[in-house]
Coordinates of all heavy atoms in Angstrom, one line a residue:
G144 N 106.1 93.9 102.0 CA 107.5 94.3 101.8 C 107.9 95.5 102.6 O 107.0 96.1 103.2
V145 N 109.1 95.8 102.5 CA 109.7 97.0 103.2 C 109.2 98.3 102.5 O 109.3 98.3 101.2 CB 111.2 97.0 103.2 CG1 111.8 98.1 104.0 CG2 111.7 95.6 103.8
S146 N 108.8 99.3 103.2 CA 108.5 100.5 102.5 C 109.3 101.7 103.0 O 109.3 102.8 102.4 CB 107.0 100.8 102.6 OG 106.7 101.2 103.9
E147 N 110.1 101.5 104.1 CA 110.9 102.6 104.5 C 112.4 102.2 104.5 O 112.7 101.0 104.9 CB 110.5 103.0 106.0 CG 109.2 103.6 106.0 CD 109.0 104.4 107.3 OE1 109.7 104.2 108.3 OE2 108.1 105.3 107.3
Y148 N 113.2 103.1 104.1 CA 114.7 102.8 103.9 C 115.5 103.9 104.6 O 115.2 105.1 104.4 CB 115.0 102.7 102.4 CG 114.3 101.6 101.7 CD1 113.0 101.7 101.2 CD2 114.9 100.3 101.6 CE1 112.4 100.7 100.6 CE2 114.2 99.3 101.0 CZ 113.0 99.5 100.5 OH 112.3 98.5 99.8
E149 N 116.5 103.5 105.3 CA 117.4 104.5 105.9 C 118.4 104.8 104.8 O 118.9 104.0 104.0 CB 118.3 103.8 107.0 CG 117.5 103.2 108.1 CD 117.0 104.3 109.1 OE1 117.8 105.2 109.4 OE2 115.9 104.2 109.6
A150 N 118.7 106.1 104.7 CA 119.6 106.6 103.6 C 120.4 107.8 104.0 O 120.0 108.5 105.0 CB 118.8 106.8 102.3
Q151 N 121.4 108.1 103.2 CA 122.2 109.3 103.4 C 121.8 110.1 102.1 O 121.9 109.6 101.0 CB 123.7 109.1 103.3 CG 124.2 108.1 104.4 CD 124.7 108.9 105.5 OE1 125.5 109.8 105.4 NE2 124.4 108.5 106.7
L152 N 121.5 111.4 102.3 CA 121.1 112.2 101.2 C 122.1 113.3 101.0 O 122.5 113.9 101.9 CB 119.7 112.9 101.4 CG 119.2 113.9 100.4 CD1 117.8 113.7 100.2 CD2 119.5 115.3 100.9
R153 N 122.5 113.5 99.7 CA 123.3 114.7 99.4 C 122.9 115.3 98.1 O 122.3 114.6 97.3 CB 124.8 114.4 99.4 CG 125.3 113.3 98.5 CD 126.7 112.9 98.8 NE 127.0 111.6 98.1 CZ 127.2 111.5 96.8 NH1 127.2 112.6 96.0 NH2 127.4 110.3 96.2
M154 N 123.1 116.6 98.0 CA 122.8 117.3 96.8 C 124.0 116.9 95.8 O 125.1 117.0 96.2 CB 122.7 118.8 97.0 CG 121.7 119.2 97.9 SD 120.0 118.7 97.4 CE 119.7 119.7 95.9
N155 N 123.6 116.6 94.6 CA 124.7 116.3 93.6 C 125.5 117.6 93.3 O 124.9 118.6 93.2 CB 124.0 115.8 92.3 CG 125.0 115.1 91.4 OD1 126.0 114.5 91.9 ND2 124.8 115.1 90.1
G156 N 126.8 117.4 93.2 CA 127.6 118.5 92.9 C 127.9 119.5 94.0 O 128.4 120.6 93.7
T157 N 127.7 119.1 95.2 CA 128.1 120.0 96.3 C 129.0 119.2 97.3 O 129.0 118.0 97.3 CB 126.8 120.5 97.2 OG1 126.3 119.4 97.9 CG2 125.8 121.1 96.3
D158 N 129.6 119.9 98.2 CA 130.5 119.3 99.1 C 129.9 119.2 100.5 O 130.5 118.9 101.5 CB 131.8 120.1 99.3 CG 132.6 120.2 98.0 OD1 132.4 119.3 97.1 OD2 133.3 121.2 97.8
Q159 N 128.6 119.5 100.6 CA 127.9 119.4 101.8 C 127.9 118.0 102.4 O 127.8 117.1 101.6 CB 126.5 119.9 101.7 CG 126.4 121.4 101.4 CD 124.9 121.8 101.0 OE1 124.1 121.0 100.7 NE2 124.6 123.1 101.1
A160 N 128.0 117.9 103.7 CA 127.9 116.6 104.4 C 126.6 116.0 104.1 O 125.5 116.7 104.1 CB 128.2 116.8 105.9
P161 N 126.5 114.7 103.9 CA 125.2 114.0 103.7 C 124.4 114.1 105.0 O 124.8 114.2 106.1 CB 125.6 112.6 103.4 CG 127.1 112.4 103.6 CD 127.7 113.8 103.9
V162 N 123.1 114.0 104.7 CA 122.1 114.1 105.8 C 121.4 112.8 105.9 O 121.1 112.1 104.9 CB 121.0 115.2 105.4 CG1 120.0 115.4 106.6 CG2 121.6 116.5 105.0
E163 N 121.1 112.3 107.2 CA 120.4 111.1 107.4 C 118.9 111.3 107.1 O 118.3 112.2 107.6 CB 120.5 110.7 108.9 CG 121.9 110.3 109.3 CD 122.3 108.9 109.0 OE1 121.3 108.0 108.8 OE2 123.5 108.6 108.8
V164 N 118.4 110.5 106.2 CA 117.0 110.6 105.9 C 116.3 109.2 105.9 O 117.0 108.2 105.9 CB 116.7 111.2 104.5 CG1 117.2 112.6 104.4 CG2 117.4 110.4 103.4
V165 N 115.0 109.2 106.0 CA 114.2 108.0 105.8 C 113.5 108.2 104.5 O 112.8 109.2 104.2 CB 113.2 107.8 106.9 CG1 112.3 106.6 106.7 CG2 114.0 107.6 108.2
V166 N 113.6 107.2 103.6 CA 112.9 107.2 102.3 C 111.7 106.3 102.5 O 111.8 105.2 102.9 CB 113.8 106.6 101.2 CG1 113.2 106.7 99.9 CG2 115.2 107.3 101.2
D167 N 110.6 106.9 102.1 CA 109.3 106.2 102.2 C 108.8 105.9 100.8 O 108.5 106.8 100.0 CB 108.3 107.1 102.9 CG 107.1 106.3 103.4 OD1 107.0 105.1 103.1 OD2 106.2 106.9 104.0
L168 N 108.8 104.6 100.5 CA 108.4 104.2 99.1 C 107.0 103.5 99.3 O 106.9 102.4 99.7 CB 109.3 103.1 98.6 CG 110.5 103.5 97.7 CD1 111.0 102.2 97.1 CD2 110.0 104.4 96.6
T169 N 106.0 104.2 98.9 CA 104.6 103.6 99.0 C 103.9 103.8 97.7 O 103.9 104.9 97.2 CB 103.8 104.2 100.1 OG1 103.9 105.6 100.1 CG2 104.2 103.7 101.5
D170 N 103.3 102.8 97.2 CA 102.6 102.8 96.0 C 103.2 103.7 94.9 O 104.3 103.4 94.4 CB 101.1 103.4 96.2 CG 100.4 102.6 97.3 OD1 100.7 101.4 97.4 OD2 99.6 103.2 98.1
A171 N 102.6 104.8 94.6 CA 103.1 105.6 93.5 C 103.9 106.8 94.0 O 104.2 107.8 93.2 CB 102.0 106.1 92.6
H172 N 104.4 106.8 95.2 CA 105.1 107.9 95.8 C 106.5 107.6 96.3 O 106.7 106.5 96.7 CB 104.3 108.6 96.9 CG 103.1 109.4 96.4 ND1 103.3 110.8 96.2 CD2 101.9 109.1 96.0 CE1 102.1 111.2 95.7 NE2 101.3 110.2 95.6
L173 N 107.3 108.6 96.3 CA 108.6 108.5 97.0 C 108.7 109.7 98.0 O 108.6 110.9 97.5 CB 109.8 108.5 96.0 CG 111.1 108.3 96.6 CD1 112.0 107.6 95.6 CD2 111.8 109.6 97.1
G174 N 108.7 109.5 99.3 CA 108.8 110.6 100.2 C 110.1 110.6 101.0 O 110.7 109.5 101.1
L175 N 110.6 111.7 101.4 CA 111.8 111.8 102.2 C 111.5 112.5 103.5 O 110.8 113.5 103.5 CB 112.8 112.6 101.5 CG 113.4 112.1 100.1 CD1 114.3 113.0 99.5 CD2 114.1 110.7 100.4
R176 N 112.0 112.0 104.6 CA 111.9 112.6 105.9 C 113.2 112.7 106.6 O 114.1 111.9 106.5 CB 111.0 111.6 106.8 CG 109.6 111.6 106.6 CD 108.8 111.1 107.7 NE 109.4 110.0 108.5 CZ 109.3 108.7 108.3 NH1 108.5 108.3 107.3 NH2 109.9 107.8 109.1
I177 N 113.3 113.8 107.4 CA 114.4 113.9 108.3 C 113.8 114.0 109.7 O 113.0 114.8 110.0 CB 115.2 115.3 108.1 CG1 115.9 115.2 106.7 CG2 116.3 115.4 109.2 CD1 116.6 116.5 106.3
G178 N 114.1 112.9 110.5 CA 113.3 112.8 111.7 C 111.9 112.6 111.4 O 111.5 111.7 110.7
S179 N 111.0 113.5 112.0 CA 109.6 113.4 111.7 C 109.1 114.4 110.7 O 107.9 114.5 110.4 CB 108.8 113.6 113.0 OG 109.1 114.8 113.5
E180 N 110.1 115.1 110.1 CA 109.7 116.2 109.2 C 109.8 115.7 107.8 O 110.8 115.3 107.3 CB 110.6 117.4 109.4 CG 110.2 118.6 108.6 CD 111.3 119.7 108.7 OE1 112.2 119.7 109.5 OE2 111.1 120.7 107.9
Q181 N 108.7 115.8 107.1 CA 108.6 115.4 105.6 C 109.3 116.5 104.8 O 108.9 117.7 104.9 CB 107.2 115.3 105.2 CG 106.9 115.0 103.8 CD 106.7 113.5 103.6 OE1 106.4 112.8 104.5 NE2 106.9 113.0 102.4
I182 N 110.3 116.2 104.1 CA 111.0 117.2 103.3 C 110.7 117.1 101.8 O 111.0 118.0 101.0 CB 112.5 117.2 103.5 CG1 113.1 115.8 103.2 CG2 112.9 117.6 104.9 CD1 114.7 115.9 103.0
A183 N 110.2 115.9 101.4 CA 109.8 115.8 99.9 C 108.8 114.7 99.8 O 108.7 113.8 100.6 CB 111.0 115.4 99.1
D184 N 107.9 114.9 98.8 CA 107.0 113.8 98.5 C 106.7 113.9 97.0 O 106.0 114.9 96.6 CB 105.7 114.0 99.3 CG 104.7 112.9 99.0 OD1 105.1 111.8 98.5 OD2 103.5 113.1 99.2
W185 N 107.2 113.0 96.3 CA 107.0 113.1 94.8 C 106.2 111.9 94.3 O 106.3 110.8 94.9 CB 108.4 113.0 94.1 CG 109.3 114.2 94.4 CD1 109.0 115.5 94.1 CD2 110.6 114.1 95.0 NE1 110.1 116.2 94.5 CE2 111.1 115.4 95.0 CE3 111.4 113.1 95.5 CZ2 112.3 115.7 95.5 CZ3 112.6 113.4 96.0 CH2 113.1 114.7 96.0
S186 N 105.5 112.1 93.3 CA 104.8 111.0 92.6 C 105.9 110.4 91.8 O 106.8 111.0 91.3 CB 103.7 111.6 91.7 OG 103.4 110.7 90.8
R187 N 105.9 109.0 91.7 CA 106.9 108.3 91.0 C 107.1 108.7 89.6 O 108.2 108.6 89.0 CB 106.6 106.8 91.0 CG 106.7 106.2 92.4 CD 108.1 105.5 92.6 NE 108.0 104.6 93.7 CZ 107.8 103.3 93.5 NH1 107.8 102.7 92.3 NH2 107.7 102.5 94.6
D188 N 106.0 109.2 89.0 CA 106.1 109.5 87.5 C 106.7 110.9 87.3 O 106.9 111.3 86.2 CB 104.8 109.3 86.8 CG 103.6 110.0 87.4 OD1 103.8 111.0 88.2 OD2 102.5 109.7 87.2
E189 N 106.9 111.7 88.4 CA 107.5 113.0 88.2 C 109.0 112.9 88.5 O 109.7 114.0 88.5 CB 106.8 114.1 89.0 CG 106.7 113.9 90.4 CD 105.9 115.0 91.1 OE1 105.6 116.0 90.5 OE2 105.5 114.8 92.3
I190 N 109.6 111.8 88.8 CA 111.0 111.7 89.1 C 111.7 110.7 88.2 O 111.0 109.8 87.7 CB 111.3 111.3 90.6 CG1 110.7 109.9 90.9 CG2 110.8 112.3 91.6 CD1 111.0 109.4 92.3
R191 N 113.0 110.8 88.1 CA 113.8 109.9 87.3 C 114.9 109.4 88.3 O 115.6 110.1 88.9 CB 114.5 110.5 86.1 CG 113.8 110.1 84.8 CD 114.6 110.2 83.6 NE 115.9 110.8 83.5 CZ 116.1 112.1 83.2 NH1 115.1 112.9 83.0 NH2 117.3 112.6 83.2
V192 N 115.0 108.1 88.4 CA 116.0 107.5 89.3 C 117.0 106.7 88.5 O 116.6 105.8 87.6 CB 115.3 106.5 90.3 CG1 116.3 106.0 91.3 CG2 114.2 107.2 91.0
N193 N 118.3 106.9 88.7 CA 119.3 106.1 88.1 C 120.2 105.6 89.2 O 120.6 106.3 90.1 CB 120.3 107.0 87.2 CG 119.6 107.4 85.9 OD1 118.9 106.5 85.3 ND2 119.7 108.7 85.6
A194 N 120.4 104.3 89.1 CA 121.4 103.6 90.1 C 122.8 103.7 89.5 O 123.0 103.2 88.4 CB 121.0 102.2 90.3
L195 N 123.6 104.4 90.2 CA 125.0 104.6 89.8 C 125.9 104.1 90.9 O 125.4 103.9 92.1 CB 125.3 106.1 89.5 CG 124.5 106.7 88.4 CD1 124.7 108.2 88.3 CD2 124.8 106.0 87.1
P196 N 127.2 103.9 90.7 CA 128.1 103.4 91.7 C 128.1 104.2 93.0 O 128.3 103.6 94.1 CB 129.5 103.4 91.1 CG 129.2 103.3 89.6 CD 127.9 104.1 89.4
D197 N 127.8 105.5 93.0 CA 127.9 106.2 94.2 C 126.5 106.4 94.9 O 126.4 107.2 95.8 CB 128.5 107.6 94.0 CG 127.7 108.5 93.1 OD1 126.8 108.0 92.3 OD2 127.9 109.7 93.1
G198 N 125.5 105.8 94.3 CA 124.2 105.9 94.9 C 123.1 106.0 93.9 O 123.3 105.9 92.7
F199 N 121.9 106.3 94.4 CA 120.7 106.5 93.5 C 120.6 107.9 93.2 O 120.4 108.7 94.1 CB 119.4 106.0 94.2 CG 119.4 104.5 94.4 CD1 119.9 103.9 95.6 CD2 119.0 103.6 93.4 CE1 119.9 102.6 95.8 CE2 119.0 102.2 93.6 CZ 119.5 101.7 94.8
H200 N 120.7 108.3 92.0 CA 120.6 109.7 91.6 C 119.1 109.9 91.2 O 118.6 109.2 90.3 CB 121.4 110.0 90.3 CG 122.9 110.0 90.7 ND1 123.7 111.2 90.5 CD2 123.7 109.1 91.3 CE1 124.9 110.9 90.9 NE2 124.9 109.7 91.4
I201 N 118.5 110.9 91.9 CA 117.1 111.1 91.7 C 116.9 112.5 91.2 O 117.3 113.5 91.8 CB 116.3 110.9 93.0 CG1 116.4 109.5 93.5 CG2 114.8 111.3 92.8 CD1 115.7 109.2 94.8
R202 N 116.3 112.7 90.0 CA 116.1 114.0 89.4 C 114.6 114.3 89.6 O 113.7 113.5 89.3 CB 116.4 114.0 87.9 CG 117.9 113.9 87.6 CD 118.1 114.2 86.2 NE 117.7 115.6 85.9 CZ 118.5 116.7 86.1 NH1 119.8 116.5 86.6 NH2 118.1 117.9 85.8
A203 N 114.4 115.5 90.3 CA 113.0 115.9 90.5 C 113.0 117.4 90.5 O 113.9 118.0 91.1 CB 112.5 115.4 91.8
E204 N 112.1 118.0 89.9 CA 111.9 119.5 89.9 C 113.2 120.2 89.5 O 113.6 121.2 90.1 CB 111.5 120.0 91.3 CG 110.1 119.4 91.6 CD 109.8 119.5 93.1 OE1 110.5 120.3 93.8 OE2 109.0 118.8 93.6
G205 N 114.0 119.6 88.5 CA 115.2 120.3 88.1 C 116.4 120.1 89.0 O 117.5 120.6 88.7
E206 N 116.2 119.5 90.2 CA 117.3 119.2 91.1 C 117.7 117.8 91.0 O 117.0 116.9 90.5 CB 116.8 119.4 92.5 CG 116.3 120.8 92.9 CD 117.5 121.7 93.2 OE1 118.5 121.2 93.8 OE2 117.4 122.9 92.8
E207 N 119.0 117.5 91.4 CA 119.4 116.1 91.4 C 119.9 115.9 92.8 O 120.8 116.6 93.3 CB 120.4 115.8 90.4 CG 120.8 114.4 90.4 CD 121.6 113.9 89.1 OE1 121.3 114.4 88.0 OE2 122.5 113.1 89.3
I208 N 119.4 114.8 93.5 CA 119.9 114.4 94.8 C 120.5 113.0 94.6 O 120.1 112.3 93.7 CB 118.8 114.4 95.9 CG1 117.7 113.5 95.5 CG2 118.3 115.8 96.1 CD1 116.7 113.2 96.6
V209 N 121.4 112.7 95.5 CA 121.9 111.4 95.5 C 121.6 110.7 96.9 O 121.8 111.3 97.9 CB 123.5 111.4 95.3 CG1 124.0 110.0 95.3 CG2 123.8 112.2 94.1
L210 N 121.0 109.5 96.8 CA 120.7 108.8 98.0 C 121.6 107.5 98.1 O 121.7 106.8 97.1 CB 119.2 108.3 97.9 CG 118.1 109.3 98.1 CD1 116.8 108.6 98.0 CD2 118.2 110.0 99.5
E211 N 122.3 107.4 99.2 CA 123.0 106.2 99.5 C 122.1 105.4 100.5 O 122.0 105.7 101.6 CB 124.3 106.5 100.1 CG 125.4 106.8 99.1 CD 126.7 107.1 99.8 OE1 127.3 106.1 100.3 OE2 127.2 108.2 99.8
V212 N 121.5 104.3 99.9 CA 120.5 103.6 100.7 C 121.2 102.4 101.3 O 121.9 101.7 100.6 CB 119.3 103.2 99.8 CG1 118.3 102.4 100.6 CG2 118.7 104.4 99.1
E213 N 120.9 102.1 102.6 CA 121.6 101.0 103.2 C 121.2 99.7 102.6 O 122.0 98.9 102.2 CB 121.3 101.0 104.7 CG 122.2 102.0 105.5 CD 121.9 102.1 107.0 OE1 121.5 101.1 107.6 OE2 122.0 103.2 107.5
D214 N 119.9 99.5 102.4 CA 119.4 98.2 101.8 C 119.2 98.5 100.3 O 118.1 98.4 99.8 CB 118.1 97.8 102.5 CG 117.7 96.4 102.2 OD1 118.3 95.8 101.4 OD2 116.7 95.9 102.8
D215 N 120.3 98.8 99.6 CA 120.2 99.3 98.2 C 119.6 98.3 97.3 O 118.8 98.7 96.4 CB 121.5 99.8 97.7 CG 122.6 98.7 97.8 OD1 122.4 97.6 98.3 OD2 123.7 99.0 97.3
A216 N 119.8 97.0 97.4 CA 119.3 96.1 96.5 C 117.8 96.0 96.6 O 117.0 96.0 95.6 CB 119.9 94.7 96.7
R217 N 117.3 95.9 97.8 CA 115.8 95.9 98.0 C 115.2 97.2 97.5 O 114.1 97.1 96.9 CB 115.5 95.6 99.5 CG 114.1 95.1 99.7 CD 113.9 94.7 101.2 NE 114.7 93.5 101.6 CZ 114.3 92.3 101.3 NH1 113.2 92.0 100.6 NH2 115.1 91.3 101.7
F218 N 115.8 98.3 97.8 CA 115.3 99.6 97.3 C 115.2 99.6 95.8 O 114.2 100.0 95.2 CB 116.3 100.7 97.8 CG 115.8 102.1 97.5 CD1 114.7 102.6 98.1 CD2 116.5 102.8 96.6 CE1 114.3 103.9 97.8 CE2 116.1 104.1 96.3 CZ 115.0 104.7 96.9
A219 N 116.3 99.1 95.1 CA 116.3 99.1 93.7 C 115.1 98.2 93.1 O 114.4 98.6 92.2 CB 117.6 98.6 93.1
L220 N 114.9 97.1 93.8 CA 113.9 96.2 93.4 C 112.5 96.8 93.6 O 111.6 96.7 92.8 CB 114.0 94.8 94.1 CG 115.1 93.9 93.7 CD1 115.3 92.8 94.6 CD2 115.0 93.5 92.3
S221 N 112.4 97.5 94.7 CA 111.1 98.2 95.0 C 110.8 99.2 94.0 O 109.6 99.4 93.7 CB 111.1 98.8 96.4 OG 111.3 97.9 97.4
L222 N 111.8 99.9 93.5 CA 111.6 100.9 92.5 C 111.4 100.3 91.1 O 111.0 101.0 90.2 CB 112.8 101.8 92.4 CG 112.9 102.9 93.4 CD1 114.3 103.6 93.4 CD2 111.8 104.0 93.3
G223 N 111.7 99.0 91.0 CA 111.5 98.3 89.7 C 112.6 98.7 88.7 O 112.4 98.7 87.5
L224 N 113.8 99.1 89.3 CA 114.9 99.4 88.4 C 115.4 98.2 87.6 O 115.5 97.1 88.1 CB 116.1 100.0 89.2 CG 115.8 101.4 89.8 CD1 117.1 101.9 90.5 CD2 115.4 102.4 88.8
K225 N 115.7 98.4 86.3 CA 116.3 97.4 85.5 C 117.8 97.5 85.3 O 118.5 96.6 85.3 CB 115.6 97.4 84.1 CG 114.1 97.2 84.2 CD 113.7 95.7 84.4 CE 112.2 95.5 84.5 NZ 111.7 95.7 85.8
N226 N 118.2 98.8 85.3 CA 119.6 99.0 85.1 C 120.3 99.4 86.4 O 119.8 100.3 87.1 CB 119.8 100.2 84.0 CG 119.3 99.8 82.7 OD1 119.4 98.7 82.3 ND2 118.6 100.7 82.0
A227 N 121.4 98.8 86.7 CA 122.1 99.1 87.9 C 123.6 98.6 87.7 O 123.9 97.8 86.8 CB 121.5 98.3 89.1
P228 N 124.5 99.2 88.5 CA 125.9 98.8 88.4 C 126.0 97.3 88.7 O 125.2 96.8 89.5 CB 126.6 99.6 89.4 CG 125.7 100.8 89.7 CD 124.3 100.3 89.4
P229 N 127.0 96.6 88.2 CA 127.1 95.1 88.3 C 127.0 94.7 89.8 O 126.3 93.7 90.0 CB 128.5 94.8 87.8 CG 128.8 95.9 86.8 CD 128.1 97.2 87.3
Q230 N 127.7 95.3 90.7 CA 127.6 94.8 92.1 C 126.2 94.9 92.7 O 125.8 94.0 93.3 CB 128.6 95.6 93.0 CG 130.0 95.3 92.8 CD 130.9 96.2 93.7 OE1 130.8 97.4 93.7 NE2 131.8 95.6 94.4
L231 N 125.5 96.0 92.4 CA 124.2 96.1 92.9 C 123.3 95.1 92.2 O 122.4 94.5 92.8 CB 123.7 97.6 92.6 CG 122.2 97.9 93.0 CD1 121.9 97.5 94.4 CD2 121.9 99.3 92.7
R232 N 123.5 94.9 90.9 CA 122.7 93.9 90.2 C 122.8 92.5 90.8 O 121.9 91.8 90.9 CB 123.0 93.9 88.7 CG 122.2 94.8 87.8 CD 122.0 94.2 86.4 NE 123.2 93.8 85.8 CZ 124.1 94.6 85.2 NH1 123.8 95.9 85.0 NH2 125.2 94.1 84.6
R233 N 124.1 92.2 91.2 CA 124.3 90.9 91.8 C 123.5 90.8 93.1 O 122.9 89.8 93.4 CB 125.8 90.7 92.1 CG 126.5 90.2 90.8 CD 127.9 89.6 91.2 NE 128.9 90.6 91.6 CZ 129.6 91.3 90.8 NH1 129.4 91.2 89.5 NH2 130.4 92.2 91.3
R234 N 123.6 91.9 93.9 CA 122.8 91.8 95.2 C 121.3 91.7 94.9 O 120.6 91.1 95.7 CB 123.1 93.1 96.1 CG 124.6 93.0 96.6 CD 124.8 94.0 97.7 NE 124.6 95.4 97.3 CZ 125.6 96.2 96.8 NH1 126.8 95.6 96.6 NH2 125.4 97.4 96.5
M235 N 120.8 92.4 93.9 CA 119.4 92.3 93.5 C 119.0 90.9 93.2 O 118.0 90.4 93.6 CB 119.1 93.3 92.4 CG 119.1 94.8 92.8 SD 119.2 95.9 91.3 CE 117.6 95.7 90.6
S236 N 119.9 90.2 92.3 CA 119.5 88.9 91.9 C 119.6 87.9 93.1 O 118.8 87.0 93.2 CB 120.2 88.4 90.7 OG 121.6 88.6 90.8
A237 N 120.5 88.2 94.0 CA 120.6 87.3 95.2 C 119.3 87.4 96.1 O 118.8 86.5 96.6 CB 121.8 87.7 96.0
L238 N 118.8 88.7 96.2 CA 117.6 88.9 96.9 C 116.4 88.2 96.3 O 115.6 87.6 96.9 CB 117.3 90.4 97.0 CG 117.7 91.2 98.2 CD1 117.2 92.6 98.0 CD2 117.1 90.6 99.4
L239 N 116.3 88.3 94.9 CA 115.2 87.7 94.2 C 115.3 86.2 94.5 O 114.2 85.6 94.6 CB 115.3 88.0 92.7 CG 115.0 89.4 92.3 CD1 115.3 89.7 90.9 CD2 113.5 89.7 92.6
R240 N 116.5 85.6 94.5 CA 116.6 84.2 94.7 C 116.1 83.8 96.1 O 115.3 82.9 96.3 CB 118.0 83.7 94.5 CG 118.4 83.5 93.1 CD 119.6 82.6 92.9 NE 120.8 83.2 93.6 CZ 121.6 84.2 93.0 NH1 121.3 84.6 91.8 NH2 122.6 84.6 93.6
T241 N 116.6 84.6 97.2 CA 116.2 84.2 98.5 C 114.7 84.5 98.7 O 114.0 83.8 99.4 CB 117.0 85.0 99.6 OG1 117.1 86.3 99.2 CG2 118.3 84.4 99.8
D242 N 114.1 85.6 98.1 CA 112.7 85.9 98.3 C 111.8 84.8 97.7 O 110.7 84.7 98.1 CB 112.4 87.3 97.7 CG 112.9 88.4 98.6 OD1 113.4 88.1 99.7 OD2 112.8 89.6 98.2
S243 N 112.3 84.2 96.7 CA 111.4 83.2 96.0 C 111.4 81.8 96.6 O 110.7 80.9 96.2 CB 111.8 83.1 94.5 OG 113.1 82.6 94.4
D244 N 112.3 81.6 97.6 CA 112.4 80.3 98.2 C 111.2 80.0 99.1 O 110.7 80.9 99.7 CB 113.7 80.2 99.1 CG 114.9 80.1 98.3 OD1 114.8 79.9 97.1 OD2 116.0 80.3 98.8

C-alpha cells in the first residue's frame, strides 16, 4: 500500500499559512518531512488522531497540528480510523469496495 502522503500542515489555533509536508506512515510510526528534512517522527501509540471536517487533528507532545491530506480516505484507512466525518467515511467505504475487487 501507499505509505507516503502529500499534505498541508498547520498548527491548530494559529493563522500561519499551511506548510507542504510529506507524511510517512510506516508500521508503528508517523513521520513528517518538509522536503528532505524530517521534522517529526512519532510512534503511533504516542499520538492521537481525530478526523474532523477541516483535516486530521494530531495531538502529540501537548501540541495539536492539523493535516489536510490529499488522499484523505486512504490515509484514514491506513491509520485504522473508525470515526470520521460523513463525507470522508463515504470516500473510505468507496475505497474499501474498489480495493476488494
Side-chain angles (χ1 to χ4, degrees):
V145 183
S146 70
E147 291 199 342
Y148 298 85
E149 304 278 322
Q151 303 262 316
L152 173 139
R153 57 191 165 76
M154 298 302 292
N155 199 30
T157 71
D158 300 335
Q159 291 171 341
V162 188
E163 295 278 333
V164 295
V165 173
V166 185
D167 193 358
L168 264 191
T169 45
D170 306 329
H172 281 266
L173 186 149
L175 296 175
R176 285 198 326 265
I177 296 177
S179 58
E180 186 185 351
Q181 179 97 20
I182 58 166
D184 181 22
W185 295 298
S186 165
R187 292 262 199 99
D188 53 20
E189 57 183 347
I190 60 175
R191 255 205 347 269
V192 184
N193 286 316
L195 297 174
D197 67 340
F199 294 91
H200 288 240
I201 299 180
R202 290 193 63 86
E204 299 163 20
E206 296 280 325
E207 184 167 322
I208 61 169
V209 181
L210 288 177
E211 278 183 67
V212 181
E213 283 177 31
D214 195 352
D215 56 356
R217 196 171 296 278
F218 184 71
L220 290 171
S221 300
L222 279 171
L224 291 184
K225 301 281 179 272
N226 297 321
Q230 286 178 310
L231 177 54
R232 268 211 313 274
R233 278 196 291 278
R234 289 196 295 277
M235 288 163 71
S236 47
L238 260 183
L239 286 172
R240 280 197 301 275
T241 42
D242 284 356
S243 62
D244 289 347

